[in-house]
Amino acid sequence: LPAGLSQWFPALEVLDVSGTGLAELGAELLALPRLHTLLAKNNRLGGPGSLPKGLGQAPLGRSLRVLNLSGNRFAEVPPALLGLRGLQSLSLGGNRLHGIPPDIQELRSLEFLYLGGNFITSIPPELANLPSLSYLVLCDNKIQSIPPQLAQLHSLRSLSLHNNLLTYLPREILNLVHLEELSLRGNPLVVRFVRDLTYNPPSLQELAGRTVKTRNVPYAPSDLPENLVRYLSLASNCPNPKCGGVYFDSCVRQIKFVDFCGKYRLPLMHYLCSPECSSPCSSASQSSTSQSESDSEDEASVAARRMQKVLLG
Amino acid sequence: EQQPVQTETWKARSLEELIRILHRIFAEDKVSVEEVQELMESYESNPEEWLQYAKFDQYRYTRNLVDNGNGKFNLMILCWGEGHGSSIHDHTDSHCFMKILQGNLKETLFEWPEKKGNGEMTKKSERVLRENRCAYINDSIGLHRVENISHTEPAVSLHLYSPPFDSCNTFDQRTGHKHKVKMTFYSQFGERTVCVSMRQHPP
């Protein structure tokens, strides 16, 4: 790009340099204080120095809202762009990404994130810390599982997961109340009922932790070593409402059908504190084995009906 | 390239002319599929002529009505963002023509599932349709899924359905189960259609 760019066109708002063979976007962009949309798809960007240093602090860093870097050669999300606190839309589709950095959570204003067509194998839970994210595209990657924390993306309206390596989904996905689109095709989702009980008995630390939490044993940070205080804060609640128990590391993984009126079956992963517990998310067509399942069916069936609408369109 | 001797070969030189000729063709009692397909393919896409109908949605593909063919057909423009795709669907006993105006669309054909179907649906074939190509399908040919598989380019397609229909079945690829859905327009004649429930959107 010409060095005098910001002097000649100081009022520039939209710049499209797609398909120009650029191997780097240089410092000449940094002084463009009105530039809100930068389209640089189908270029040769991806090497070190593809994006200018100090991007987050420059005038451009404050003005940029839309950045399209799809169809380039990025093997990692360039750290330089993580400082773009005002960025609303980011596309890195069709690159060579193998992962997503946890620092993606720095993009506080992000609403639209397109990462389809890469080689991503896993999703960091930090992705869930993007409060405004409404459109998340992860299709055509190599993702094997979705972290349950993703259900904290309360603004999510559309989630694209097709053509990955998913065998199940976390049951928390039912909590995404604004979700209107969910694509799942081209995943090896488990179709038949699979009960996969892999249970490692809890450690003494785990048992002690559970007792402290469930009996509400009072403690102050001065009572315990710092690592144990942190450990106690990581307790997860058993989804069985009749149980009210908690677990830390030891849990039973169960793949259970959530049967949406026989039309669409989604395998959802349930984490339970012991094999005796069962999740409230039971299928209407399966015979209930315990009273607890039917008691909490209302809440679960509301969530299930909502998900049914999303999947069946 | 030698032009073979033909009775009637239409060449639409603009979108307006295409619509005019379509009205003339569909005014007759009998309509030839080949004639319509050739006509649609003959129109060389000119974005200036259809940009007003090409309204994209961030979350999913859109259906934008262009002409309602005096009740004989519906002509609409579909806008597909990167990665947008349809479900597997049928065509409610109608003829369906699909012409690519911009970008590329992948069409995957499926066999109809067995009556008591409870297994994965059978893929018949797949192809990528390039700009200006026109594909044709009806229920006797099979079912299809249409997708923009590009992660960098949006796609725009021109669809003709005759007779017009406003509902169809969508199919779950893993089980063959079907579900009837109502189809809605994102815009009509270039005007955004408001107050449409987001829950009831096309396949």
Side-chain angles (χ1 to χ4, degrees), chain A residues 207-218:
Chain A
L207 287 172
R210 289 190 189 190
T211 305
V212 167
K213 282 306 223 190
T214 52
R215 303 270 174 95
N216 285 316
V217 175

Side-chain angles (χ1 to χ4, degrees), chain A residues 250-279:
Chain A
S250 170
C251 64
V252 176
R253 294 170 57 223
Q254 238 185 28
I255 295 182
K256 226 175 176 183
F257 262 154
V258 178
D259 185 2
F260 298 101
C261 300
K263 291 275 168 53
Y264 202 112
R265 293 174 163 228
L266 258 194
L268 296 180
M269 187 63 102
H270 301 271
Y271 291 91
L272 306 162
C273 65
S274 78
E276 281 73 53
C277 278
S278 61
S279 161

Side-chain angles (χ1 to χ4, degrees), chain B residues 45-148:
Chain B
S45 171
N46 179 358
E48 270 175 37
E49 293 169 356
W50 48 257
L51 225 43
Q52 56 172 312
Y53 304 108
K55 301 181 189 306
F56 281 81
D57 183 275
Q58 175 171 273
Y59 303 108
R60 52 166 294 128
Y61 76 93
T62 62
R63 306 169 81 243
N64 304 274
L65 183 66
V66 174
D67 190 276
N68 56 20
N70 286 335
K72 296 285 185 68
F73 63 84
N74 266 350
L75 188 69
M76 63 192 76
I77 280 179
L78 271 61
C79 296
W80 314 74
E82 293 88 317
H84 288 176
S86 76
S87 62
I88 302 172
H89 58 276
D90 63 10
H91 298 87
T92 321
D93 294 322
S94 290
H95 302 276
C96 160
F97 299 84
M98 171 171 72
K99 180 199 171 71
I100 314 298
L101 294 177
Q102 180 184 300
N104 302 294
L105 287 176
K106 176 174 161 187
E107 180 194 35
T108 309
L109 286 181
F110 289 87
E111 302 275 10
W112 280 87
E114 301 293 314
K115 267 270 183 280
K116 297 260 181 213
N118 230 325
E120 180 99 24
M121 284 175 69
T122 313
K123 227 185 264 195
K124 269 175 40 158
S125 65
E126 63 181 45
R127 57 177 169 170
V128 175
L129 296 158
R130 310 275 170 206
E131 270 181 25
N132 283 313
R133 277 295 317 278
C134 179
Y136 168 78
I137 193 168
N138 65 44
D139 282 350
S140 67
I141 292 174
L143 309 165
H144 71 179
R145 182 197 303 286
V146 181
E147 323 170 65
N148 177 12

Side-chain angles (χ1 to χ4, degrees), chain A residues 142-161:
Chain A
K142 307 280 177 203
I143 300 166
Q144 295 181 22
S145 71
I146 303 295
Q149 290 86 346
L150 236 54
Q152 287 157 29
L153 288 168
H154 295 301
S155 306
L156 206 61
R157 284 180 58 182
S158 180
L159 177 58
S160 167
L161 291 170

Side-chain angles (χ1 to χ4, degrees), chain A residues 103-310:
Chain A
D103 284 343
I104 193 98
Q105 61 183 336
E106 304 289 308
L107 297 172
R108 311 293 307 149
S109 308
L110 209 60
E111 295 171 22
F112 177 107
L113 180 58
Y114 194 110
L115 296 172
N118 282 287
F119 303 103
I120 296 168
T121 53
S122 70
I123 313 296
E126 287 81 0
L127 188 58
N129 294 336
L130 295 171
S132 309
L133 200 64
S134 62
Y135 187 48
L136 178 59
V137 181
L138 295 167
C139 63
D140 293 297
N141 276 291
K142 307 280 177 203
I143 300 166
Q144 295 181 22
S145 71
I146 303 295
Q149 290 86 346
L150 236 54
Q152 287 157 29
L153 288 168
H154 295 301
S155 306
L156 206 61
R157 284 180 58 182
S158 180
L159 177 58
S160 167
L161 291 170
H162 60 270
N163 299 332
N164 273 289
L165 300 172
L166 299 170
T167 51
Y168 61 87
L169 297 176
R171 63 178 282 282
E172 287 82 358
I173 206 146
L174 293 176
N175 298 338
L176 289 168
V177 292
H178 293 116
L179 197 66
E180 291 172 6
E181 299 283 340
L182 172 61
S183 66
L184 291 169
R185 65 183 182 279
N187 278 288
L189 291 175
V190 172
V191 179
R192 280 194 302 282
F193 187 96
V194 171
R195 184 169 253 140
D196 166 30
L197 291 166
T198 316
Y199 184 51
N200 294 315
S203 62
L204 281 176
Q205 177 173 297
E206 164 110 24
L207 287 172
R210 289 190 189 190
T211 305
V212 167
K213 282 306 223 190
T214 52
R215 303 270 174 95
N216 285 316
V217 175
Y219 65 93
S222 51
D223 297 327
L224 297 168
E226 197 194 314
N227 64 315
L228 288 182
V229 174
R230 217 177 315 127
Y231 181 80
L232 286 172
S233 71
L234 293 175
S236 302
N237 291 312
C238 178
N240 181 358
K242 288 285 180 184
C243 169
V246 299
Y247 67 90
F248 293 84
D249 312 306
S250 170
C251 64
V252 176
R253 294 170 57 223
Q254 238 185 28
I255 295 182
K256 226 175 176 183
F257 262 154
V258 178
D259 185 2
F260 298 101
C261 300
K263 291 275 168 53
Y264 202 112
R265 293 174 163 228
L266 258 194
L268 296 180
M269 187 63 102
H270 301 271
Y271 291 91
L272 306 162
C273 65
S274 78
E276 281 73 53
C277 278
S278 61
S279 161
C281 253
S282 64
S283 152
S285 63
Q286 285 172 257
S287 54
S288 270
T289 48
S290 72
Q291 185 61 31
S292 65
E293 291 192 346
S294 45
D295 278 356
S296 48
E297 205 161 86
D298 280 344
E299 203 186 279
S301 60
V302 164
R305 260 199 302 282
R306 184 169 56 228
M307 185 56 67
Q308 176 189 7
K309 280 189 179 175
V310 168

Side-chain angles (χ1 to χ4, degrees), chain B residues 3-22:
Chain B
Q3 271 285 62
V5 176
Q6 299 183 39
T7 46
E8 196 92 72
T9 314
W10 300 109
K11 167 76 181 168
R13 290 161 300 186
S14 72
L15 181 61
E16 248 180 41
E17 186 166 63
L18 172 64
I19 296 173
R20 249 180 294 132
I21 300 173
L22 283 170

